[in-house]
Amino acid sequence: KILVANQAPVESVYADAFQARCAMESVTPATASVHWRNALRDAERNPEQLQWLAAYAERCGEARFAEDVLRSLARCVRDPRPVYAALVRLIESSDRTADLRDLLTEVLKFWPDDPASLNRHAYLNLLLSDGLAESMQTAGQLVKQFPDNQAYRTTLALALLRRNEPAEALRVCEGM
């Protein structure tokens, strides 16, 4: 009741987040959603509050909302790389392969030459049977640059398997 009466010495972002949690426990998802959205609105452009809200939402089992908060956070910090790393971790835990690949497409707009992101993007494309030629080219270039990297060689082997070249895939894997 104290949160509803606006008598709590708590900033509105925290009050709304706590009210959202209470509404979740009371099985009133529409009310919870309103409070989550209000909390996000109140935290907008405040990196510390956005970080807290994302972590709290994730702990409360609201992973999709935590993603929204992290996307807001990415827009208002100087270096969004740690925020994108958190988004990748969050989406990875949800088994949404296509969404993860789409996020990596977004990441590559910021860091187009990051080998790890290039490899993950190519690998996910191959898992989704999408972009075979581009993924094959990316994996080939990465293996040429980093011949001892097992992840890059695995991506190249998967690309070769997708092209129905199992002998070449096996050759790439030899010595790993």
Side-chain angles (χ1 to χ4, degrees), residues 21-83:
R21 176 70 178 161
C22 291
M24 289 170 52
E25 293 300 322
S26 301
V27 193
T28 52
T31 302
S33 180
V34 167
H35 285 294
W36 283 123
R37 293 288 157 208
N38 287 345
L40 177 56
R41 182 199 63 224
D42 295 342
E44 201 63 41
R45 310 297 306 163
N46 184 322
E48 293 80 19
Q49 289 181 344
L50 289 168
Q51 282 181 311
W52 178 87
L53 185 58
Y56 186 70
E58 186 178 0
R59 280 193 312 272
C60 290
E62 292 293 317
R64 292 282 184 139
F65 179 71
E67 288 175 36
D68 293 345
V69 175
L70 287 170
R71 288 183 181 282
S72 270
L73 179 59
R75 289 189 295 271
C76 72
V77 294
R78 191 173 324 145
D79 178 16
R81 191 177 287 262
V83 180

Side-chain angles (χ1 to χ4, degrees), residues 64-137:
R64 292 282 184 139
F65 179 71
E67 288 175 36
D68 293 345
V69 175
L70 287 170
R71 288 183 181 282
S72 270
L73 179 59
R75 289 189 295 271
C76 72
V77 294
R78 191 173 324 145
D79 178 16
R81 191 177 287 262
V83 180
Y84 278 105
L87 272 166
V88 166
R89 180 193 49 78
L90 193 59
I91 294 174
E92 276 179 336
S93 69
S94 70
D95 295 326
R96 295 179 0 243
T97 306
D99 289 347
L100 182 57
R101 186 264 324 264
D102 294 345
L103 177 62
L104 284 165
T105 300
E106 193 176 322
V107 165
L108 287 170
K109 289 177 185 172
F110 288 101
W111 302 283
D113 299 322
D114 177 50
S117 296
L118 285 164
N119 183 66
R120 290 178 90 176
H121 186 262
Y123 186 79
L124 291 168
N125 267 336
L126 292 166
L127 290 179
L128 295 166
S129 297
D130 193 20
L132 175 60
E134 177 189 351
S135 296
M136 178 77 173
Q137 181 180 4

Side-chain angles (χ1 to χ4, degrees), residues 132-174:
L132 175 60
E134 177 189 351
S135 296
M136 178 77 173
Q137 181 180 4
T138 298
Q141 289 170 347
L142 289 171
V143 168
K144 187 180 258 187
Q145 278 184 284
F146 307 98
D148 296 330
N149 188 299
Q150 290 183 0
Y152 302 165
R153 290 171 67 178
T154 300
T155 301
L156 180 57
L158 178 57
L160 290 163
L161 286 172
R162 291 284 189 205
R163 280 193 5 190
N164 200 25
E165 297 180 32
E168 279 299 305
L170 185 59
R171 186 189 61 71
V172 167
C173 291
E174 288 175 351

Side-chain angles (χ1 to χ4, degrees), residues 5-23:
N6 290 328
Q7 296 173 355
V10 174
E11 291 184 56
S12 59
V13 62
Y14 305 111
D16 270 311
F18 297 143
Q19 286 176 311
R21 176 70 178 161
C22 291

